[in-house]
């Protein structure tokens, strides 16, 4: 059995930055609040909690005073900063710089056009209720229209100008389809093209990952995809992997390795040429993928020992 960990898998720069900020703070003070899970991976959250991180929600934020509160890479709406400030809390801003720039761009567009007539629509292509999208919508005083799927584009008012942005982790293909759809609607109704301005704000660290991951999956006999059940990025990337290689298993923890492999009925320890690839989502820590690799190698060793005895 040959085991390879995908070098392109693991935390994106934004998540790495937020975790570093948490670690630095915890090293100095030993205590830090984080608004929401710092990353959609239970094991990594647990590791940081052992260092003193405490995950809080919006209700908690309203009741704590004079504390240090980390904002994760997804970013937050302006209201979060006001609430924290009112209670004398200090914000440690872990918002990813890419998300921060997008927030600023949306806020600038909103402020530049909020008094225009006819009133323009700021549209965000993103997942309703996702933390990043809540932060983006907050830049428009919550007036932005959220579109999750192309089919929802029918609800737009094509008599009014449209400014389209995207959540950083949406699919580039779907965004391009949405752009073409809106362009078609506008020209079909005889409106000027200037009525529609769009910005491709998809983060390439995720967009490029799909093709890289599929190429990695195709080279393997078996793929162990390591991810958290709360991560939407993990669900999407797992599905891409599975399409590229049907022998792909979803693993949340090293403890699942043996059972999952047994249930797959693959004789992975029989051939020295059998290739196992380990990969993960943007929320999967490298150390977790390494633990999965170690567990796999332990399982192989114990299988061989059983045969010898
Ligand atoms: S996916 Fe891109 S934009 Fe989102 S946190 Fe990671 S680096 Fe930042």
């Amino acid at each position: 059995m040959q085991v390879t960990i995908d070098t392109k898998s693991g935390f994106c720069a934004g998540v790495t930055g937020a975790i570093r900020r948490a670690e630095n703070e915890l090293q100095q003070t030993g205590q830090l609040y984080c608004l929401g899970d710092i990353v959609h991976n239970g094991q990594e959250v647990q590791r940081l909690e052992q260092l003193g991180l405490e995950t809080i929600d919006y209700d908690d934020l309203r009741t704590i005073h004079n504390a240090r509160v980390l904002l994760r890479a997804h970013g937050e709406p302006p209201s979060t900063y006001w609430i924290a400030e009112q209670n004398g809390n200090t914000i440690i801003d872990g918002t990813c710089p890419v998300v921060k720039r997008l927030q600023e761009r949306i806020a600038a567009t909103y402020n530049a056009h909020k008094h225009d007539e006819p009133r323009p629509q700021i549209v965000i292509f993103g997942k309703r209720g996702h933390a990043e999208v809540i932060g983006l919508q907050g830049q428009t005083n919550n007036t932005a229209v959220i579109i999750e799927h192309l089919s929802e584009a029918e609800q737009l008012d094509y008599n009014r100008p449209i400014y389209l942005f995207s959540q950083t982790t949406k699919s580039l293909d779907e965004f391009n389809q949405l752009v073409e759809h809106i362009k078609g609607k506008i020209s079909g109704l005889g409106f000027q093209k200037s009525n529609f301005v769009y910005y491709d704000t998809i983060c390439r660290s995720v967009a490029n990952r799909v093709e890289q991951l599929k190429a990695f999956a195709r080279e393997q006999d078996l793929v162990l995809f390591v991810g958290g059940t709360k991560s939407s990025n993990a669900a999407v990337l797992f599905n891409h992997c599975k399409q590229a290689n049907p022998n792909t298993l979803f693993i949340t923890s090293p403890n699942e390795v043996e059972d999952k492999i047994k249930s797959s009925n693959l004789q992975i320890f029989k051939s020295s040429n059998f290739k196992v690839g380990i990969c993960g989502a943007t929320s999967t820590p490298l150390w977790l993928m390494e633990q999965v690799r170690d567990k796999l190698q332990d399982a192989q060793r114990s299988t061989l020992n059983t045969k010898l005895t």
Side-chain angles (χ1 to χ4, degrees), residues 107-155:
T109 305
Y110 171 70
N111 288 321
H113 298 285
K114 64 183 174 192
H115 300 304
D116 288 1
E117 281 301 334
R119 207 160 37 84
Q121 296 157 97
I122 293 188
V123 179
I124 297 166
F125 178 50
K127 190 170 181 217
R128 233 168 255 113
H130 187 283
E132 182 188 320
V133 175
I134 293 171
L136 299 179
Q137 201 180 26
Q139 310 304 319
T140 65
N141 207 9
N142 294 328
T143 59
V145 179
I146 310 297
I147 286 196
E148 269 193 47
H149 306 289
L150 181 63
S151 57
E152 295 172 13
E154 292 312 312
Q155 63 178 276

Side-chain angles (χ1 to χ4, degrees), residues 50 91 108 136 295 305:
Q50 277 159 8
I91 292 279
L136 299 179
K295 200 77 181 184
N305 287 342

Side-chain angles (χ1 to χ4, degrees), residues 193-211:
K193 280 188 188 155
S194 59
N195 250 21
F196 175 41
V197 183
Y198 59 94
Y199 304 93
D200 167 4
T201 52
I202 291 166
C203 174
R204 293 309 191 261
S205 97
V206 170
N208 294 341
R209 193 163 287 192
V210 172
E211 288 312 315

